[in-house]
Amino acid sequence: MNSEVRVHGRDFTAYRIGGAIAAVLLAILLGWQIWEIFDGDNRTVPEVRWGVAALDGEATAGDQSGLLAHEVLRARTRLQDERYRSGPAPASDAPDFATGAAQWLTNAPMERGAGRDLTRGWARPGSDTLELLRGSERVAGISSLPYVGAEVFERPFGRDWRLGIADFATHLGALAILGFSLLLALVLALRGRVPIAKGRSGRTVKRFGFLERANHWMTALSFIGLALTGLVIAYGDTVIRPFSEPLLGDLGWLATWGHVLFFPPFALGILFMILRWTWGNLPGRYDARWLARGGGFFSDSPDNPPARKFNAGQKLIFWSAALGGVIMVVSGVTLMFPFYWLDIEGMSWAMLTHAVIAVLLIAIFIGHIYIGTVGMQGAIEAMWGGRVDRNWAEEHHELWLAEIEGRTPTQERSG
Ligand code: HEM
């Protein structure tokens, strides 16, 4: 490392300090997340047993809701069975759901006929109900409840799905996002910002046109919008509810609408990126060498492995955006129109795929945003003004610079 490089590296001490502080905060969050996994609070297992206390006659505070559920279910079954056979049940049969001073359920008079319409509508199998249950493996029994599907006790795949969504996808997401961010913060703290090793040349070269940049920022902003709203949808219950339920209500409402509204510009942006950048991102002969040397990332030497317009790292980013984006759009549209072309098993897979790919993409793009901003001096200028310093271009995209300056590939190094 020559002295000039050291001077440039030292300019970025503030970045290292920022990285160290971020690393400490992220380590705390990651620790909390890991503790969450192992604290035995598994939401896919019912937390309240029911019925037993009613038989034992020793209800504890934790059994209350189970007791109530048991009572409600028994009374409702009796009531419905009665109503099914003989019309409206006598008023005396209405169960008293009040436990202690709390009134759990209240009765209110209905307009004439409204109750009958409601019951009829509820009891008649809708096409959705039938579609929902079509073709999936299930465990069925006998039920006195007068509606289609009441006899389905369990769909084994439903259990797998619930485990996938509530455990696998959410924990994987938290670990991937927090873990990867922690790694980047450590890299910033220990390795520091990648400088333009030879310093700025004062001359610039054009890298991206206006349309490319406008499209990149449209895609980027809508991706960030989708990510934030998606995270509220996925983690709001765990992260926001404990602080404020009304806040979760407001944010949840905004997030559900925002998520749908950010989708069209994202889909359009990904489509344009695919059309514009696929050619430059096809695998090439320099990629393996670039990857083997880690892109020269860990040294401040200007002597990085040669690359054309997009190096292997950027190609990986491009293909994540292109393939990941298409998967997100297709599974997202599927979720917007439930049961149009998939049955319940297909819908479950669409949801799982959407969740898992989403969290992986968020983690990957945190890396992209890092290297495009704080991680590397001079990178953001490519997407902002469209021009980069010539020394930056030479250090990171030597072959591309030779191409646009009309020099011959004799400049290619074996490195
Ligand atoms: C704040 C957010 C973001 C920043 C600061 C940012 C920054 C940048 C920069 C500086 C470049 C040019 C690198 C070069 O000169 O080669 C770039 C390229 C690119 N960006 Fe972003 N970006 C952001 C978000 C996104 C998002 C969300 C996506 C896709 C969903 C995306 C997809 C791409 C692609 C495909 C390229 C071209 C390949 C590459 O250079 O890696 N970017 N971005």
Side-chain angles (χ1 to χ4, degrees), residues 26 61 121 124 152 161 203 205 235 287 308 339 357 374 409-410:
L26 285 161
R124 193 183 306 131
V152 177
W161 169 82
R203 279 192 293 151
V205 287
Y235 295 95
D287 294 340
R308 300 184 66 177
F339 302 108
I357 301 293
V374 292
T410 46

Side-chain angles (χ1 to χ4, degrees), residues 374-398:
V374 292
M376 179 184 280
Q377 185 186 15
I380 190 73
E381 292 150 30
M383 259 319 153
W384 200 246
R387 302 185 72 84
V388 286
D389 192 276
R390 194 181 170 284
N391 278 354
W392 181 92
E394 195 173 49
E395 285 168 27
H396 298 292
H397 300 276
E398 183 191 353

Side-chain angles (χ1 to χ4, degrees), residues 109-177:
M110 275 187 158
E111 278 175 31
R112 216 175 139 71
R116 199 183 49 220
D117 287 349
L118 252 178
T119 319
R120 201 180 291 155
W122 176 68
R124 193 183 306 131
S127 57
D128 278 3
T129 326
L130 294 174
E131 187 69 10
L132 201 81
L133 295 169
R134 180 165 60 88
S136 64
E137 199 189 315
R138 52 192 133 142
V139 177
I142 300 169
S143 167
S144 64
L145 297 177
Y147 57 86
V148 167
E151 80 289 1
V152 177
F153 291 159
E154 185 190 311
R155 288 183 314 105
F157 182 72
R159 183 177 289 204
D160 297 344
W161 169 82
R162 200 173 48 185
L163 196 78
I165 279 288
D167 268 10
F168 182 73
T170 41
H171 286 140
L172 172 88
L175 289 181
I177 293 169

Side-chain angles (χ1 to χ4, degrees), residues 207-208 216-217 219-221 223-224 266 270 273 277 281 309-310 313-315 317-318 321 365 368-369 372-373 379-383 388 392 397:
R207 185 146 169 83
F208 292 113
H216 172 269
W217 290 119
T219 320
L221 288 180
F223 177 86
I224 292 170
F266 176 74
I270 289 292
M273 273 187 185
W277 286 340
N281 281 285
K309 178 153 186 174
F310 295 110
Q314 291 173 312
K315 289 180 183 179
I317 291 290
F318 169 81
F365 277 94
H368 173 71
I369 293 168
T373 53
I380 190 73
E381 292 150 30
M383 259 319 153
V388 286
W392 181 92
H397 300 276

Side-chain angles (χ1 to χ4, degrees), residues 61-75:
D63 292 325
Q64 284 281 324
S65 61
L67 234 171
L68 184 77
H70 178 245
E71 274 306 310
V72 169
L73 195 68
R74 200 167 53 183

